[in-house]
Amino acid sequence: MELNTTDDPLLMEIRDETGPIGSLFYVSRDEDDPADTDEGWTAELRGFAYGVSRSTDYCPTAAEAFSAAWKLYDELVEVRRTAARFLRSQPVRTISTPMGGQPR
């Protein structure tokens, strides 16, 4: 897993050997909402089952958020392994046709 910079200094792309898998970005507080306390760097990884993406907690530095993303990456790799095992264990089966040649 590695970081690639973008034109925006508050946004970085997270990649692995398969290509882009997520983003590392800075979230600032909403100044119009005094109850909003979410601020800091977070990493979001995509590719989990059912199209789900997962994010880290907010961290004070980009390095800490990237470090926290490794735990999510380990989970993502396991999801990929499970999917690959399932696909390997499901052989392609031909459909048998009855006499007359029309499938049921």
Side-chain angles (χ1 to χ4, degrees), residues 13-78:
E13 179 184 64
I14 301 174
R15 300 178 64 89
D16 71 355
E17 66 276 356
T18 65
I21 59 167
S23 302
L24 180 74
F25 54 94
Y26 186 79
V27 175
S28 59
R29 286 184 295 148
D30 182 1
E31 295 174 0
D32 296 333
D33 183 6
D36 183 13
T37 59
D38 296 340
E39 183 176 23
W41 288 91
T42 185
E44 179 181 88
L45 297 183
R46 297 177 295 275
F48 289 91
Y50 308 110
V52 173
S53 62
R54 308 251 329 259
S55 299
T56 63
D57 290 333
Y58 295 104
C59 300
T61 66
E64 289 178 48
F66 186 65
S67 177
W70 279 100
K71 181 180 178 192
L72 292 179
Y73 183 69
D74 291 339
E75 293 176 26
L76 178 61
V77 169
E78 188 57 37

Side-chain angles (χ1 to χ4, degrees), residues 59-99:
C59 300
T61 66
E64 289 178 48
F66 186 65
S67 177
W70 279 100
K71 181 180 178 192
L72 292 179
Y73 183 69
D74 291 339
E75 293 176 26
L76 178 61
V77 169
E78 188 57 37
V79 166
R80 288 179 180 168
R81 284 187 191 133
T82 301
R85 276 194 308 269
F86 176 77
L87 293 174
R88 275 195 311 264
S89 66
Q90 301 296 318
V92 176
R93 295 185 177 98
T94 57
I95 299 172
S96 63
T97 57
M99 299 295 282

Side-chain angles (χ1 to χ4, degrees), residues 4-13:
N4 286 353
T5 58
T6 64
D7 294 338
D8 185 348
L10 299 178
L11 172 67
M12 292 178 242
E13 179 184 64

